[in-house]
Each structure stands twice: as structure tokens, then as C-alpha cells.
Amino acid sequence: MNSETILDEVQKLLTPEQVNTDREDLYDASADRYKKYAKARGVLDVPMPLAIVYPNSTDEVSRLLQFCNENRINVIPRAGKTATEGGLENWKEQTLVIDALNLNKIIKLDTYNMQATVQAGVALQDLEDELRKEGFTTGHSPQSKPVAKLGGLVATRSIGQLSTLYGGIEDMVVGLECVFPDGHISRIKNVSRRSGGPDIRHIAIGNEGTLCYITEVTVKCFKFYPENNRFFGYLVKDVESGIKVLREVMANGFRPSVARTYSEEDAAQHFYHFHKNKCVLLFMAEGPEGIVDATCRGIEAAAEKFKDGILEQVDSKYIEDWFNNLNWSQQDIDDEYEGMKEHDSHAGFTTEISADWETIPKIYNSVIRRIRDEYPRAHELTMLGGHSSHSYINGTNMYFVYNYDIHCAPEDEMRVYHHPLQKLIVEETLKFGGSMCHHHGIGKFRSEWTKDEHGSAYYMLAKLKEAFDPNGIMNFGTIFPQEEGRKYLS
Amino acid sequence: MNIICVVKIVPDVDSFAYDYENNTLIRENIRMILNPDDACALACALKVKAGRPDCSIEVVTMGPKAVKPHMEDLLRLDADRGTIISDPAYRGSDTYVTSRILARYLSTRQFDVLLTGSHALDGDTSHVPAQLGEELDLEQMSGITAVDFERFDSRRAVFEVEYESSVVTWEMALPAILSLDRESGYTLPYVKYEDFQRDVSGKLTIIGNPELGFEPGEVGSDGSLTEVVRTYTQRFETRERRIVRNDDAGIEDVFNFLLEKGFL
Ligand SMILES: Cc1cc2nc3c(=O)[nH]c(=O)nc-3n(C[C@H](O)[C@H](O)[C@H](O)COP(=O)(O)OP(=O)(O)OC[C@H]3O[C@@H](n4cnc5c(N)ncnc54)[C@H](O)[C@@H]3O)c2cc1C
């Protein structure tokens, strides 16, 4: 089917107002924040989608997917547009972006049963604001909270900054509704728990738009006790010393909502008013008073036990200030975009990995050493460091953070800088047995390592793709490696 | 036409970390960059060269051998030859000795014009270009903000210098030394992706005192006429920190603060 006919047919399936073919919008829809700099400079090397479509209902999503499936048209599901790993990048000549803009209803706030049901296009901030009015919270607080939407947050297996207490999105999703390429609508019911075979929620959670389109989700909600929040900050000797304290707190069974260790370089970016060029360790305890008190005692006991690694305690007011100014708004994202148009620089890149307690410091040290020794443009790095920001009983994550002066053409930036750096991080992580993708998803630019990430279990992932998307119309190139897409890889 | 660019790789002042306990700058892990004025000089040379197959550019720098990756990148642009003058004996040389060392090397080279920057981010004495003029018996002009590329050949150059209240167009006979100012806005082109890994070692020469033959007492701090008596880092006071909200009272506060400090 040629492109013109596709557009005609889609307009008949929906209404013309629901089909956007504005050139600027299509250019914007060609890539996400992975190629943010090339995008801002107007030099993207990927095809533009044919249209962005805005279904008004699950039925419309179903009809659209069925149409695309029958005509082999690539589909990119889209929500808040904050994807960082190429999940929204287009690698096909015939693509429709299905945007959840009009699926924007908060369906039910059920605070007795402690759950809330929303459509996929509801911004997390909007849900959070509604819950707060009633004294509740989603407990989900990614830095992109003001912009990201529930469909995207579930599709990427996102995680919030309070995860150490509330968990990742996978711990919050109760049930959901999703649509498969053949048009089938599945509703996974909302129950507190069940043992009804494998947990099929996980087919949708984290699918990054490669298996199904998520139209509705029900998430847990929690009582909100902001008045009990307590903060702790310390300057520590090195990353390893900070991680030891994090481990102690977690292993002893405490669940602070925030538990982080920053390298010197990363601390200098965030805590300019107190970092003193040292690593920073910080905690936030929240919840009912008694739990907060116990958590605080747990934190203090851990800090005391490892006091040799602690240089000094920081005024908790600083940590509270920092916490209150963490999130990125749409304005911040737009400001960075405008800045990139004029300057050979941006706000930097990140690669987030995870591993057990023992392995994380090894990966961290090894990555930093390899970048310094092997990366040919190491002399242009203006920043290289990282932080651990999500801890579990058995391990933690490491968020590598780096920035550089850009001395190449905008279209080459990824292959000269970010991608080789990410490659070193991924290689070291996989070598040590960690995971290369703690919370941003695989997207398109880590798909070359999906098989290494999953090893023999990749079989299960590949079977899901074969079963649910046999024609391969869902988000071509994302998660599942594609030879044809290699030309867009670095 | 032969152009020689004399450049310096300098510490990036923005990358300095501050030791709050001892109130000093931490000089380890400092990032090095091509001095911004010198980048304009090379960018200008590349513009002159564009479309003139007879034109060649040599980039000359004096400094530690660690500047090699920076020089290699300049050679991956369209510079034809690079020379690093590096010798442990030259460490501690003042601007006078540095100029003599550079001049001794430059006097062995054929060139029509020397392009340099006007100021350096680190020392900022602006001595070297003028002293090179003295040593090499050449005219020198600083603060160049624009070059007339139509009227730039091996005999003469026409360019503009911005003064406080006027812009003067000069015509100067070559050979001479022209020192560019960053206000010129000449920017270096990007290195092409295919060239990032290009081996340019054949174009880069490292020379030292065996080639230039100074006596030990003539160079380094011994040979220097000037001496740094004391360097100290500016002490930064801890300022009072006030957090205001994004509301009318906060806006009023910021407004009054700016007014009080004379910004409004
Ligand atoms: C400033 C900033 C801060 C960030 N901080 C965090 C953080 O703290 N924690 C974190 O986890 N992530 C973070 N991210 C990454 C990003 O916000 C998350 O991945 C988020 O979950 C994406 O949601 P979105 O609504 O923007 O989705 P989009 O960017 O629109 O899409 C993301 C992916 O999900 C797919 N998708 C979107 N909607 C659907 C749907 N309805 N059905 C099926 N698939 C769909 C897309 O195809 C794409 O692959 C950050 C990003 C930015 C820019």
C-alpha cells in the first residue's frame, strides 16, 4: 500500500483531525532524546513517520493496529516523549506513531482499595496531583514525572526516585488493558494477588511498544505523610564506602525512600553548595511516624558502623532543598533543546546498569578505568562519574553520567561520543554479570546487546515477539535486534 | 603561501575544582583545551587556505608532550604539519624565554605570515606575539577581529582591529605577525567522522633542545628575566544563601536584590 493510500485509509478509520501530518511534528516524532542533539541541529538521519495519530478509545487503537498489521505498517506507540534510548526513533519508511494524547482520562481513584485507574495518556503528575488532594500518592516519582505518561512509564518498566520504599512500576501495576497487533484487546483484572499461571502483566510491562499497545493501567496508591519526611546527608571517602552504608541499611531490612551514593564528579554537579569535591551519601525516610523513626535509627546505626568511610555529616536542610528541586519539567527539556541549537554542548548523557552489592563497585571502577584508558576522546570529557540511586536487598544500580565538549559534526555525535561510552559501560557490566539496562529500557541503541543481556532466556523473549507480533509491525528495531536497522546504529 | 599558527594548549579554567578546606584550586585532572584566541587564528588560517591549493599551514606549539592528542586533532582538520616543542629543560620558562625558544624554531622555517591569538586564558600577559616580533624582526598587530580574505596574500593582509570607540582597517605588508581576538568569531570546523581515527603521526614532529641547542642557563627558570614572586588563588567568601519562592514575595525579593546591587 502506498503512503498516500495509508493516510487516506487512516483518516477514514479515525477522523482527519486525529491524523497529524505537520512536517515539524513529524520531524520531532522521528527520534527521541537519544539523538537529541542531532535533532536540535536539524540533521536527523532517519525517515519521518507518515503521520501521528491520536485514537480516542481502546476500540480505535484496536482498529488502527489491525489495519497496520494487515498492511505491514510499522507502529510506534507514544506517550510522554521522554524516552532516552531510541524507543521512539523511527527506522521504517512507513510508520504510524500512535500517540496516547486523547487517552487522557483518570478513570477512577479508589482510595479505599488503594488503587487508581487511568488511561495511558494521563501524565503521572496529573494523577499524582489528584491523589495528593486526597492525601495519597502513587509513590512513583521519576525525574520525568511532570512530563512522562502512564502508558510510557509502564511500557519502559520505569522507576521513580522513591523506589527503595515504593518499588519500581512493576511493583505498582495492579492490572491493565492492552491491545495486540491483531486487534485483540486484553484486560488483566485488578486483584491483590493471584496464582493463575505466569504473571501476564509482565508481557505488557516493559514491552516498549514491541508487543502491544497499553491503553489503561491501574496502579497502587499509598498514604502520603510529607510531614514525617527526614533527610540525611554525608560526605564519604569514595563510592565504595557509600555503597557499604547503603547495603547495611537495606540488608538490615530498612526501606528509606531515597538512598543514594554519588561519585565526587557527579556530586559536584548536584550539590555545588556543600560537596567539597567529595562523594556524597544521602537518605530520605518517609512514611508513618514510627516507621520513619525506625528507619532513621537504621540509617544512623549504619553510618556509625562504617564511620571510617564517612568524612562528615551534612546539614539535612541541604538534602531537603535538593530533593525539592529534582524533577525536569517540559520547560527544562525545551530549554536544553534551544541551547543545543546554538551551542556545541548539551546537558550530558547517562547509562544506567545494575548488579549485586559485591559487583557494583567492581563495575564502577572498571568502567571509569577503561574510559580513561581506552576511550580515544577521553581528553574531551568534561564530566565522568555516577551515582547509585535505587537499592534492593540484594544489590543496587549505577547511573553513569558523562558529558563532553562536542568537536564533531552534530550528526556524528552519537558515534563519536555517547555510543562508544555506552558500549564500554555495557560491555563491562555484562562481563561482570550485571544488567545493562536498569530502568530506561533497551530502546534501539542497546538492542545490539539484547541477546547478551538475556543469554539463554532470550529464547523466551523471542517467542513472545513471534507469538504476539508475527508480522513485526510493533516498534521495529526496539528491544529485538534487527540487521536492517544497523545502518542507524552508531 | 605558507602560514604558521603559533598556538597554546591551556588549562580550561571552567574545569578547575576548588579545595574548600585549603581555599586553593585543585590542579590535578584539569582538562586542557586549545586557547580560544588561538583557535580563531587557526580557523582564520583554514579559511585563507580553503580553495588555495598552494597554501600550507603549520601549527606550532610549545608545551608538555601530553598536548599530542590535541595537536593530532588539529592535524585532522586541514593543517599540513604540526610541531610540538617540548623539553624538560624548558619547564618554568617565562614569556621572554618562551618567545626566544619559539623564535629560534620559527627562524628555521619559511613562512609568509605568523598567526597567533591575542590573549591566553591562563597567563594573559599577551607578551609572546610581540616578543616574537622583536626576536624575528617582524611587525606585529594584536586584537584582530576580522580579516579581509579577498585581500590576504603572501604580500599583504587587510584586517580590522576594534578599539574602544572605533574600528580601524589596517593594511600590513607581509611577512608579519597577526594576532587574532576571539571576537573575530572564526570557529574551527568539525573533524570529519572518518578522520577521527586517521593516523596523523607522519605530520607531527616533536622537537626539543637537542635540535634548538640552547645553553642550560638560557632556558627554563634560570634563563627567565621575570620571576613569579607569588601566586595565590582568590579566596572566595561564603555568601549568605537565601531561598525564595516563585511567588510575588520571591519576585519582589530578587528584584530588590538586583536593584540594590545596581543591576537594574
Ligand atoms: C529528564 C528525564 C528524566 C528521566 N528520569 C527517569 C527516571 O527517574 N526514571 C525512569 O525510569 N526513567 C526516567 N526517564 C526516562 C523516561 O522518562 C521513562 O522511560 C518514561 O517511562 C517514558 O515515559 P513516556 O510517557 O515519556 O514514554 P515515551 O517516551 O512516549 O515512550 C517510551 C517507550 O514506551 C513506548 N510506549 C509509549 N507509550 C506506550 C503505550 N501506550 N503502549 C506501549 N508502549 C508505549 C514507546 O514506544 C517507547 O518505546 C527520564 C527521562 C528524562 C527525559
Side-chain angles (χ1 to χ4, degrees):
Chain A
M1 194 180 273
N2 70 32
S3 302
E4 226 164 278
T5 321
I6 293 173
L7 287 176
D8 282 348
E9 292 297 317
V10 172
Q11 295 203 356
K12 279 185 225 153
L13 273 178
L14 306 173
T15 61
E17 295 73 54
Q18 289 170 272
V19 182
N20 180 356
T21 53
D22 177 79
R23 266 193 79 81
E24 229 173 87
D25 291 344
L26 294 182
Y27 176 78
D28 175 57
S30 314
D32 58 29
R33 292 181 55 80
Y34 190 85
K35 289 189 183 159
K36 60 183 179 183
Y37 181 66
K39 188 175 177 178
R41 291 300 186 93
V43 295
L44 283 177
D45 57 350
V46 291
M48 294 205 289
L50 297 178
I52 306 160
V53 297
Y54 308 101
N56 291 329
S57 65
T58 302
D59 277 340
E60 285 188 353
V61 173
S62 165
R63 270 182 272 145
L64 275 169
L65 286 183
Q66 223 175 328
F67 167 76
C68 291
N69 196 34
E70 278 160 15
N71 296 291
R72 308 291 192 268
I73 300 160
N74 185 43
V75 168
I76 300 182
R78 189 170 90 167
K81 299 203 301 177
T82 61
T84 58
E85 304 301 320
L88 296 179
E89 188 165 312
N90 178 37
W91 285 358
K92 283 281 192 187
E93 292 299 331
Q94 291 191 332
T95 294
L96 290 183
V97 172
I98 304 187
D99 190 298
L101 184 73
N102 297 337
L103 301 175
N104 57 356
K105 281 172 224 49
I106 296 180
I107 296 169
K108 191 175 183 189
L109 299 185
D110 180 1
T111 53
Y112 187 78
N113 291 309
M114 303 293 280
Q115 57 196 26
T117 302
V118 298
Q119 287 188 307
V122 169
L124 176 57
Q125 186 74 60
D126 293 343
L127 172 60
E128 184 69 22
D129 290 347
E130 288 308 307
L131 282 171
R132 291 277 180 96
K133 285 181 195 160
E134 303 191 25
F136 294 85
T137 172
T138 57
H140 201 46
S141 189
Q143 214 183 3
S144 52
K145 176 163 73 179
V147 190
K149 298 177 176 176
L150 266 298
L153 289 159
V154 173
T156 50
R157 284 180 76 89
S158 63
I159 200 161
Q161 295 157 117
L162 311 171
S163 69
T164 313
L165 174 61
Y166 297 102
I169 195 82
E170 68 277 16
D171 302 304
M172 300 166 174
V173 173
V174 182
L176 55 83
E177 178 189 75
C178 59
V179 188
F180 289 91
D182 61 2
H184 179 82
I185 301 170
S186 287
R187 285 188 68 84
I188 302 178
K189 67 183 173 187
N190 301 325
V191 286
S192 50
R193 187 190 186 268
R194 59 175 159 166
S195 98
D199 192 340
I200 49 180
R201 287 175 296 188
H202 291 282
I203 292 171
I205 300 174
N207 89 83
E208 296 184 50
T210 64
L211 302 175
C212 61
Y213 193 99
I214 299 163
T215 44
E216 184 188 302
V217 288
T218 298
V219 289
K220 295 173 188 166
C221 50
F222 303 85
K223 279 203 170 163
F224 188 50
Y225 305 91
E227 64 284 2
N228 295 341
N229 289 353
R230 298 265 301 273
F231 300 88
F232 294 84
Y234 305 88
L235 301 184
V236 292
K237 233 169 49 189
D238 47 27
V239 170
E240 218 160 337
S241 305
I243 286 180
K244 272 192 190 147
V245 184
L246 294 182
R247 183 199 166 275
E248 181 71 10
V249 170
M250 297 304 293
N252 287 341
F254 297 102
R255 304 280 295 265
S257 55
V258 180
R260 295 183 170 210
T261 293
Y262 285 78
S263 75
E264 291 94 330
E265 303 81 358
D266 202 7
Q269 309 199 97
H270 294 276
F271 311 111
Y272 65 93
H273 42 307
F274 69 79
H275 65 84
K276 299 185 180 174
N277 298 305
K278 304 287 186 255
C279 295
V280 167
L281 164 71
L282 57 88
F283 293 97
M284 167 176 169
E286 70 171 281
E289 205 178 338
I291 291 184
V292 169
D293 286 345
T295 308
C296 292
R297 283 198 298 278
I299 292 166
E300 282 163 345
E304 176 61 24
K305 179 166 173 187
F306 290 101
K307 62 173 185 274
D308 288 352
I310 291 181
L311 303 170
E312 66 182 80
Q313 187 158 4
V314 174
D315 185 346
S316 63
K317 183 84 189 71
Y318 287 143
I319 311 298
E320 188 172 357
D321 285 350
W322 161 82
F323 178 75
N324 290 332
N325 293 292
L326 263 182
N327 292 339
W328 270 55
S329 64
Q330 188 60 50
Q331 188 62 48
D332 295 321
I333 293 175
D334 294 346
D335 287 349
E336 188 197 17
Y337 194 74
E338 287 306 310
M340 288 186 294
K341 284 185 183 168
E342 283 172 26
H343 304 291
D344 293 346
S345 62
H346 48 54
F349 272 107
T350 60
T351 295
E352 18 64 62
I353 60 102
S354 62
D356 59 32
W357 290 113
E358 211 179 322
T359 310
I360 276 288
K362 290 181 192 155
I363 296 177
Y364 180 77
N365 294 329
S366 188
V367 163
I368 300 291
R369 196 177 49 246
R370 275 195 70 190
I371 291 179
R372 294 232 178 272
D373 294 350
E374 294 174 29
Y375 175 54
R377 317 296 310 166
H379 59 284
E380 282 165 0
L381 291 172
T382 53
M383 146 82 201
L384 170 65
H387 60 262
S388 150
S389 44
H390 304 276
S391 285
Y392 311 90
I393 190 115
N394 60 332
T396 187
N397 81 313
M398 180 52 65
Y399 204 79
F400 287 98
V401 185
Y402 36 93
N403 206 347
Y404 36 79
D405 286 335
I406 303 169
H407 288 284
C408 63
E411 55 271 34
D412 293 329
E413 184 228 347
M414 285 290 108
R415 46 187 184 161
V416 174
Y417 299 100
H418 179 38
H419 199 70
L421 289 165
Q422 188 168 52
K423 185 170 192 282
L424 280 174
I425 297 168
V426 168
E427 274 175 15
E428 274 319 272
T429 303
L430 293 176
K431 194 173 87 192
F432 280 98
S435 166
M436 66 166 180
C437 39
H438 175 261
H439 65 262
H440 284 162
I442 289 176
K444 294 193 173 60
F445 293 94
R446 286 193 275 198
S447 67
E448 59 185 293
W449 303 290
T450 305
K451 289 181 183 165
D452 301 326
E453 167 73 20
H454 287 281
S456 59
Y458 181 72
Y459 170 83
M460 298 165 75
L461 210 55
K463 288 286 173 199
L464 286 177
K465 184 73 175 168
E466 276 170 43
F468 292 117
D469 182 24
N471 296 332
I473 62 145
M474 297 296 285
N475 210 345
F476 176 81
T478 295
I479 299 183
F480 302 91
Q482 294 290 352
E483 206 39 54
E484 192 192 324
R486 287 197 77 82
K487 58 179 180 288
Y488 301 118
L489 284 171
S490 300
Chain B
M1 182 177 189
N2 295 335
I3 304 175
I4 297 187
C5 291
V6 184
V7 305
K8 188 175 180 188
I9 312 295
V10 296
D12 178 10
V13 282
D14 289 341
S15 73
F16 283 4
Y18 193 66
D19 177 342
Y20 293 83
E21 268 138 50
N22 303 312
N23 278 331
T24 53
L25 287 179
I26 299 172
R27 290 179 181 272
E28 291 141 36
N29 295 329
I30 287 173
R31 231 162 40 83
M32 305 297 285
I33 57 168
L34 176 62
N35 183 50
D37 279 18
D38 304 357
C40 294
L42 178 57
C44 174
L46 291 168
K47 270 175 173 281
V48 174
K49 185 181 177 187
R52 295 192 202 178
D54 63 319
C55 183
S56 86
I57 300 173
E58 176 178 354
V59 185
V60 176
T61 193
M62 180 171 147
K65 292 202 175 77
V67 304
K68 203 167 154 222
H70 296 270
M71 284 293 276
E72 283 173 344
D73 274 354
L74 302 184
L75 294 172
R76 290 184 181 114
L77 298 170
D78 217 6
D80 301 273
R81 179 188 158 116
T83 304
I84 301 174
I85 303 174
S86 190
D87 198 295
Y90 298 165
R91 216 174 287 149
S93 296
D94 68 358
T95 60
Y96 166 70
V97 174
T98 301
S99 307
R100 288 194 67 206
I101 296 168
L102 285 167
R104 186 164 293 181
Y105 170 70
L106 292 169
S107 63
T108 67
R109 307 291 302 154
Q110 286 269 328
F111 58 86
D112 300 298
V113 63
L114 281 187
L115 294 181
T116 75
S118 293
H119 301 275
L121 273 189
D122 55 349
D124 206 12
T125 61
S126 301
H127 289 168
V128 171
Q131 286 173 167
L132 279 180
E134 180 72 20
E135 291 288 325
L136 296 168
D137 199 15
L138 292 173
E139 303 294 335
Q140 187 266 342
M141 184 65 88
S142 281
I144 297 173
T145 50
V147 167
D148 182 345
F149 293 101
E150 297 294 311
R151 291 188 286 170
F152 196 116
D153 55 38
S154 48
R155 289 179 304 107
R156 54 91 205 250
V158 177
F159 53 83
E160 287 177 6
V161 177
E162 243 178 76
Y163 298 95
E164 240 164 50
S165 57
S166 61
V167 177
V168 177
T169 304
W170 295 86
E171 177 167 344
M172 209 161 158
L174 298 186
I177 305 175
L178 306 183
S179 304
L180 275 287
D181 189 278
R182 133 183 36 161
E183 289 301 311
S184 64
Y186 298 134
T187 49
L188 285 175
Y190 300 120
V191 176
K192 287 197 204 84
Y193 179 73
E194 309 72 54
D195 289 341
F196 266 109
Q197 306 295 341
R198 187 154 59 92
D199 179 18
V200 286
S201 51
K203 298 209 272 180
L204 186 64
T205 318
I206 302 181
I207 61 166
N209 206 42
E211 289 84 356
L212 297 181
F214 284 95
E215 293 302 321
E218 288 183 295
V219 290
S221 38
D222 288 349
S224 295
L225 299 181
T226 55
E227 181 185 352
V228 177
V229 182
R230 185 165 81 100
T231 53
Y232 61 94
T233 316
Q234 214 173 333
R235 279 181 170 264
F236 297 101
E237 302 161 31
T238 320
R239 298 279 166 91
E240 187 207 351
R241 191 156 167 270
R242 223 163 59 215
I243 295 174
V244 296
R245 292 190 175 280
N246 187 8
D247 55 16
D248 286 348
I251 293 167
E252 179 81 16
D253 229 32
V254 174
F255 179 79
N256 288 334
F257 177 80
L258 293 175
L259 203 62
E260 183 192 312
K261 298 283 171 197
F263 288 105
L264 296 175

